Amino acid sequence: DSTLVNAEARYEWYFSPQQRFSLAGFYKRINRPIESIAAFTGGAALITTFGNAPRAQLVGAEFEAQKFVPLTGVGLDQHRLVLIGNYTFSDSKIEVRDGDTTVLNDLRGERPASEVFFDGDPLTGQSRHIANLQLGIENTQQLQQVTLLLNYGSKRVSSRGPSSGQARQEDIFELPGFTLDLVARQGFRLAGAEGEIK
């Protein structure tokens, strides 16, 4: 099992009902973080296994804001504009020292951690930059919403590179990039029961 120490400082300002601004800083010290690792099977197929890196640390900051804008001035008295955005910056580093060991699911038993992990590598699955933007119009009297969602994630390691003997190959990366979604919701009543189409 991994164990960790987590510290966070957060400032929140609720400047109006359901509207807020927040700023947070965080630090995590992880002992034996679980990492996904690429490995070759006997038939040279690439699979994913898991192993514990010796230790890691993660530091970062997060910003979030939520604001509603009434649309009474444009003739939509029961509607409001919804603006929500957040951004997270995080920097993670695996720490590997002489004498550190790890065990993988390959029947070779304990081995030097430096065969699998490089000191200073980022944690798997950890993007340095993550941003989300939500723009929507909603009815304040009933369930009726149309929302545009824009998300961004920077390059991240999906698996540690496979090792053969003493040489470890390059890590496998994924590039989440941008995603754009449009979500519409409409509430309704049918036979005395409430429902929703999404």
Side-chain angles (χ1 to χ4, degrees):
D1 291 339
S2 299
T3 58
L4 62 90
V5 172
N6 181 50
E8 180 177 327
R10 178 176 292 272
Y11 169 78
E12 296 180 338
W13 175 34
Y14 294 86
F15 52 87
S16 193
Q18 298 181 320
Q19 301 179 77
R20 68 183 182 276
F21 166 84
S22 67
L23 182 64
F26 55 87
Y27 170 82
K28 298 178 191 293
R29 178 82 178 164
I30 310 168
N31 189 33
R32 297 185 305 277
I34 300 168
E35 292 278 282
S36 60
I37 301 162
F40 289 111
T41 63
L46 196 63
I47 62 168
T48 299
T49 186
F50 298 90
N52 292 97
R55 66 199 65 79
Q57 69 173 359
L58 174 69
V59 295
E62 181 181 36
F63 159 83
E64 184 173 10
Q66 179 170 313
K67 172 76 176 162
F68 298 120
V69 180
L71 296 176
T72 52
V74 292
L76 297 171
D77 294 347
Q78 295 184 347
H79 294 77
R80 65 184 181 182
L81 188 64
V82 180
L83 306 169
I84 302 173
N86 63 51
Y87 167 75
T88 303
F89 168 82
S90 57
D91 182 49
S92 63
K93 287 185 175 61
I94 291 175
E95 297 175 0
V96 182
R97 301 176 188 146
D98 290 341
D100 286 337
T101 60
T102 191
V103 176
L104 301 184
N105 187 23
D106 62 4
L107 305 178
R108 288 198 287 167
E110 196 171 63
R111 71 177 80 172
S114 58
E115 289 183 14
V116 184
F117 308 103
F118 293 155
D119 188 64
D121 277 348
L123 288 164
T124 56
Q126 191 68 48
S127 289
R128 194 173 178 87
H129 306 280
I130 297 176
N132 303 288
L133 182 63
Q134 181 176 326
L135 305 172
I137 296 176
E138 66 180 19
N139 191 315
T140 58
Q141 306 301 314
Q142 60 175 313
L143 178 56
Q144 185 181 58
Q145 298 174 324
V146 177
T147 307
L148 191 67
L149 303 165
L150 178 64
N151 304 297
Y152 171 75
S154 63
K155 183 171 90 168
R156 61 187 176 219
V157 178
S158 60
S159 290
R160 297 268 81 98
S163 59
S164 53
Q166 298 295 319
R168 191 190 100 179
Q169 297 182 28
E170 290 293 318
D171 290 335
I172 298 171
F173 290 90
E174 59 184 353
L175 302 169
F178 289 95
T179 59
L180 184 64
D181 295 295
L182 181 67
V183 179
R185 300 172 67 198
Q186 177 65 57
F188 64 90
R189 290 187 65 84
L190 182 63
E194 292 187 358
E196 175 186 341
I197 296 173
K198 184 175 182 180

